[in-house]
Amino acid sequence: MEDTKLKKSKMPDPYVILFVLIVIMALLTYIIPSGQYQMVKAPDGRMVVDPDSFKYIKGNKAGLFDILKAFPKGLSGSESIIFFILIIGGSFNLINQTGAIMAAISKIAVKLKGKENLMIPIIVFVFSVGGATIGMSEELIIFVPLGIALARALGYDAIVGTACVLMGAVAGYTSGVVNPFNVGVAQGIAGLPMFSGIGLRIVIWIATVILVLIYISRYAKKVKEDPKNSLIYDIEQKEKSTILDLETIEPLTKKQILVLIIFALGMITLLIGVFNFDWYLTEISAVFFAMGIISGLVYGIKPNDLVKGFIDGVKDIAYGAMIVGLARGILVIMQDAMILDTIVHGLASVISFFPRAVCALGMLFVQTILNFIITSGSGLAATTMPIMSPLADVLGLTRQTAVLAFQFGDGITNYIAPTSGILMANLLVAKIPYEKWVKFIWPLIAMWTLLGALFVVYASLINYGPF
């Protein structure tokens, strides 16, 4: 009998999407003229853009060889993030081989049995604190598999586990309560006291966390009632063998307890280092590497098997890690052809023709568009805030309002933009197709953007100031 079912069109692989975007950006170099701002040294020693120095210049157009070079140059420019992901993947695989993490998650799942509705608020809140304080972003790839394991054990799907971790963190990151990597950098460039205006940002944090909780909980409830409501039901069926069986939970062994203690001490060390000694990717990677090796040795894994386990973990994560470099290739094309400054200048110029409240929304729009291109929070701040700060002065807006527009523009679209290598890496680890994630997340992004717009307009009306 002939199969009359229509075949669903498959979304292109993320590598294909990003390569197509690189080609499109290369073609745009023949349309957008090259331009350049001059860089000057700020009082704190940081190099920033002189907003009055823009001029058109003769630039290079991207040819075929430039397109081919974009990937290796993107890899080179993202090496710290890529090596971080690879080391985390290898180290975490060693910890996973001990079974300690899964055993601990099983215990938590048993405790939450009958109280599954507590899982989402707990995870979202914990990661929102991480996003609001230390700007958790790249580090999330460590926790996504854990969130998925717990979610599946409690009858949800991988989207719920992934969303609790990622969207919880971005709720905190966007509010930027005391986040040094977005608000801290932006306020420093704008000449504002560090972490000033914190009152409104706390309100924003509460509002965004509530929005995320309601949204994820509604989807989770549907999946819990009927697994077929899952957007990735077919994937969940294939992953049935990975779901923890809460009816056959065995007690933690002494060696597994030791591994959990090592893991906890490692996380405490990371927090101390990040908060007190400005640790970043290299230091975090070193601590995780130590955690993986020590955990393996304590559990009794032989040195040769440690090496094999580490390499296996690197192999599993390599596909996601490499995509970070390809995503950066888009920025490489713009920088080499010197059209990035032209895009920033053009978008900023358009804003000045509108009324004050609309100008504030215009700033949000510009920051959102540019965030699809410059996915680094500190990089976006260094590029745009030297322009947006004096522009706010001219338009009669406070610089704090300009920073707020930057926060929302930088944070909200981080987890829907295909140009975000970190998002793509997390989705690949979670085995969630990009198109399924977009189908799940776009209504939340739309509501979040509207919420951000309301806060930005409110800030313009109250002359949101430093304190």
Side-chain angles (χ1 to χ4, degrees), residues 170 173-174 182 371 406-415 448:
V170 79
Y173 184 95
T174 301
N182 64 351
N371 191 50
F406 156 76
Q407 286 173 233
F408 282 115
D410 171 48
I412 295 173
T413 57
N414 276 343
Y415 287 96
W448 207 330

Side-chain angles (χ1 to χ4, degrees), residues 25 33 37 46 72 76 107 188 224 246 295 315 340 366 422:
M25 191 56 67
Y37 284 105
R46 189 189 300 116
S76 178
K107 293 293 184 183
K224 184 77 172 176
L246 301 185
S295 295
K315 288 178 182 177
L340 177 58
V366 168
I422 298 300

Side-chain angles (χ1 to χ4, degrees), residues 92 127 139-150 158 161-163 165-166 425-427 429-432:
F92 207 72
F127 283 99
E139 304 92 334
L140 297 176
I141 202 165
I142 304 165
F143 300 100
V144 165
L146 305 183
I148 292 173
L150 181 57
T162 302
V165 174
L166 297 188
N426 274 298
L427 293 183
V429 168
K431 299 180 182 178
I432 300 173

Side-chain angles (χ1 to χ4, degrees), residues 320-370:
M322 296 288 281
I323 208 167
V324 176
L326 190 59
R328 189 178 177 87
I330 299 167
L331 181 60
V332 167
I333 291 288
M334 290 191 295
Q335 289 176 331
D336 288 353
M338 305 186 81
I339 64 170
L340 177 58
D341 286 3
T342 305
I343 294 172
V344 173
H345 175 71
L347 290 172
S349 299
V350 171
I351 297 174
S352 60
F353 292 102
F354 295 98
R356 194 173 74 162
V358 178
C359 286
L361 290 176
M363 284 186 171
L364 172 60
F365 173 77
V366 168
Q367 297 285 13
T368 300
I369 294 299
L370 291 174

Side-chain angles (χ1 to χ4, degrees), residues 180-323:
F181 300 111
N182 64 351
V183 169
V185 173
Q187 287 185 329
I189 294 172
L192 295 168
M194 186 69 76
F195 303 134
S196 57
I198 194 171
L200 182 59
R201 291 202 302 281
I202 290 174
V203 173
I204 292 169
W205 176 46
I206 294 170
T208 50
V209 167
I210 291 173
L211 176 63
V212 168
L213 281 175
I214 293 173
Y215 188 81
I216 298 176
S217 296
R218 288 187 63 187
Y219 172 81
K221 184 180 178 182
K222 292 178 183 178
V223 174
K224 184 77 172 176
E225 290 173 350
D226 184 356
K228 290 183 180 179
N229 287 327
S230 170
L231 292 173
I232 53 170
Y233 178 70
D234 54 336
I235 296 172
E236 290 300 307
Q237 292 301 107
K238 294 176 183 176
E239 296 292 322
K240 269 189 172 181
S241 61
T242 66
I243 299 176
L244 299 171
D245 185 359
L246 301 185
E247 303 301 322
T248 58
I249 299 298
E250 296 182 0
L252 284 162
T253 66
K254 290 181 180 179
K255 287 183 178 180
Q256 286 177 331
I257 292 172
L258 281 175
V259 169
L260 290 175
I261 292 172
I262 291 166
F263 185 79
L265 290 175
M267 298 306 295
I268 292 170
T269 302
L270 287 180
L271 290 174
I272 294 172
V274 169
F275 278 111
N276 297 326
F277 304 107
D278 296 324
W279 283 7
Y280 195 43
L281 299 181
T282 301
E283 292 82 6
I284 295 174
S285 299
V287 172
F288 253 93
F289 184 61
M291 286 163 59
I293 298 298
I294 296 171
S295 295
L297 291 174
V298 165
Y299 193 72
I301 299 175
K302 296 177 180 179
N304 285 354
D305 292 331
L306 281 177
V307 174
K308 185 180 182 302
F310 184 85
I311 297 302
D312 287 343
V314 170
K315 288 178 182 177
D316 290 340
I317 205 73
Y319 187 88
M322 296 288 281
I323 208 167

